[in-house]
Amino acid sequence: MTDRLDEYRRKRDARRTPEPVPPGAPAPSDRRRFVIQQHHARSLHWDVRLERDGVLVSFAVPRGLPRDRARNNLAKHTEDHPLEYLDFAGEIPAGEYGGGRMTIHDRGTYEADKWRDDEIGVTFHGERTNGRYVFFQTGGRDWMVRRMDPAEPGWEAMPEAVPPMTPTRTTGLPADDADWGYEMDWGGRRVTAYVSGGRVRLADADGDDVTSWYPEIRPLGPALAPIEAVLDGEIVAFDGSRPAPELLARRKAPKDSAAARRAAERTPAHLLVYDLLWLEGHSTVELVRYAERRELLDGLALAGDHWQTPPYFPGGGEFALEAARAQGLGGIVAKRLDSPYLPGRRSRLWLSVPVG
């Protein structure tokens, strides 16, 4: 009888990895359990494992299971894994097969709606994952996975583009100070960040894709995973603690990825995020007030080597102006605490106030 774990054992040294490496052939089983593991290996992906005939039939899914029917996601059919992997989480040492951190994203049971060599249909019943999916072969170990039933009620697909809302320039602070929140005017490059499946896409104010310009921002995707969000902010370069537009101007369109990496090393950029436009299947632009969007944004705890959420000041416009002056900034942006986000519009709900 063929040992279905033979390939799994060939790829691993039990003396070097904390992964379970059972010595014998698997015993038959008739349970239908699954586990989804978030795997920070050479590139972030999710491993979907389905119990079948004593082993875990496994797929590596780079962007995770699709949450609606609008897209198919790539899935790579990998070697069968032992049932002990249902509970495995830990750090696979660098240099070993699959080296990197692995955590359990979800687990539960499933129903097999269809099981063929080239197509597998399942219904998941997990803590976070529920619904009908089909895995279908496209060639060799290359498969795709598609959601077959509607997304959860109220779910909205991530928008392809959200044009930025812009402030109206004014000469002084609003009179009703307590009704406004104040941010620094960083003088950077306005971008919208679309974070999905552990990847990030950056679009500038004209909607052009500038992801390749700033490779140092890409780790934001794995850092935020599995959360998906659309973020509003700007790219800034610093000279010490001072925002330096003249340094940012050096970051031109790169000829290739190597040139982009060299530019990032010479003149690192930072993404300052100050608004949240979509989160986990729900738009926040029209019905959610600015103060509430900021609360949701703060809950994401965005803090990395090249990204952060700078503070804002509810009320206290004079204090914000003094802080901007101390940092050598040209001004502040005042935003009504009850303002919606108006994509692509200039509005007096947001005011650009110069230091003077």
Side-chain angles (χ1 to χ4, degrees):
M1 176 180 288
T2 302
D3 183 352
R4 294 182 59 178
L5 293 180
D6 184 56
E7 182 181 356
Y8 174 89
R9 278 191 289 268
R10 284 201 313 270
K11 292 180 174 181
R12 291 162 177 84
D13 185 341
R15 298 167 299 179
R16 298 177 180 271
T17 178
E19 298 168 280
V21 185
S29 69
D30 57 5
R31 298 180 67 181
R32 294 290 179 262
R33 294 173 290 178
F34 80 89
V35 65
I36 301 175
Q37 285 146 330
Q38 186 169 306
H39 193 175
H40 292 261
R42 183 168 53 185
S43 61
L44 173 68
H45 63 274
W46 284 263
D47 292 312
V48 180
R49 310 192 195 281
L50 309 170
E51 181 176 3
R52 183 83 173 184
D53 298 332
V55 297
L56 297 176
V57 175
S58 297
F59 294 89
V61 186
R63 292 185 176 270
L65 295 176
R67 303 192 192 184
D68 57 44
R69 295 183 290 188
R71 55 180 174 165
N72 297 337
N73 284 1
L74 176 67
K76 195 80 164 180
H77 193 193
T78 63
E79 72 278 9
D80 293 336
H81 282 53
L83 294 184
E84 290 87 346
Y85 230 91
L86 285 164
D87 300 311
F88 176 70
E91 189 78 26
I92 302 172
E96 296 302 303
Y97 177 75
R101 178 168 51 89
M102 184 174 288
T103 60
I104 294 177
H105 171 74
D106 196 14
R107 54 186 158 196
T109 61
Y110 75 94
E111 300 165 23
D113 308 318
K114 179 186 295 186
W115 198 285
R116 301 193 324 222
D117 289 344
D118 62 349
E119 186 174 344
I120 297 173
V122 297
T123 300
F124 288 113
H125 303 285
E127 298 171 10
R128 307 170 71 171
T129 308
N130 291 277
R132 294 175 50 232
Y133 289 83
V134 61
F135 294 79
F136 55 95
Q137 188 178 33
T138 57
R141 289 185 176 269
D142 291 334
W143 291 52
M144 301 292 286
V145 57
R146 178 178 179 82
R147 185 178 179 114
M148 301 302 292
D149 52 358
E152 62 187 56
W155 173 274
E156 299 178 41
M158 176 181 287
E160 286 293 322
V162 185
M165 180 177 175
T166 52
T168 299
R169 189 167 181 82
T170 187
T171 56
L173 293 168
D176 47 348
D177 182 75
D179 294 332
W180 295 77
Y182 299 92
E183 301 173 355
M184 300 296 102
D185 186 348
W186 298 102
R189 183 180 193 179
R190 190 75 176 273
V191 295
T192 307
Y194 303 83
V195 185
S196 175
R199 274 70 176 172
V200 62
R201 173 172 63 89
L202 299 175
D204 68 9
D206 295 323
D208 295 328
D209 191 320
V210 294
T211 312
S212 64
W213 290 48
Y214 307 107
E216 64 268 50
I217 309 299
R218 286 181 174 169
L220 170 62
L224 194 56
I227 294 171
E228 300 188 336
V230 178
L231 309 169
D232 182 20
E234 57 190 277
I235 299 289
V236 177
F238 287 93
D239 182 3
S241 61
R242 179 184 68 86
E246 69 278 9
L247 292 181
L248 185 63
R250 299 178 183 175
R251 298 296 296 271
K252 308 294 186 182
K255 292 186 296 185
D256 51 36
S257 59
R261 289 193 298 270
R262 289 193 298 270
E265 292 171 358
R266 289 193 303 266
T267 312
H270 301 262
L271 174 62
L272 304 184
V273 180
Y274 41 64
D275 216 327
L276 176 66
L277 312 184
W278 182 94
L279 178 65
E280 292 289 273
H282 301 282
S283 172
T284 60
V285 297
E286 294 179 357
L287 301 179
V288 182
R289 302 182 309 160
Y290 167 72
E292 295 165 338
R293 296 197 306 274
R294 286 295 309 224
E295 184 176 352
L296 290 170
L297 178 60
D298 289 342
L300 296 180
L302 298 177
D305 291 340
H306 293 279
W307 58 87
Q308 62 177 291
T309 299
Y312 81 107
F313 308 96
E318 291 290 353
F319 174 80
L321 277 175
E322 285 301 318
R325 187 176 292 109
Q327 295 183 67
L329 300 176
I332 61 174
V333 179
K335 300 180 177 181
R336 280 197 62 92
L337 295 173
D338 59 357
S339 64
Y341 193 96
L342 305 175
R345 289 175 56 182
R346 187 177 301 277
S347 171
R348 292 196 64 82
L349 295 172
W350 290 8
L351 302 174
S352 175
V353 184
V355 166

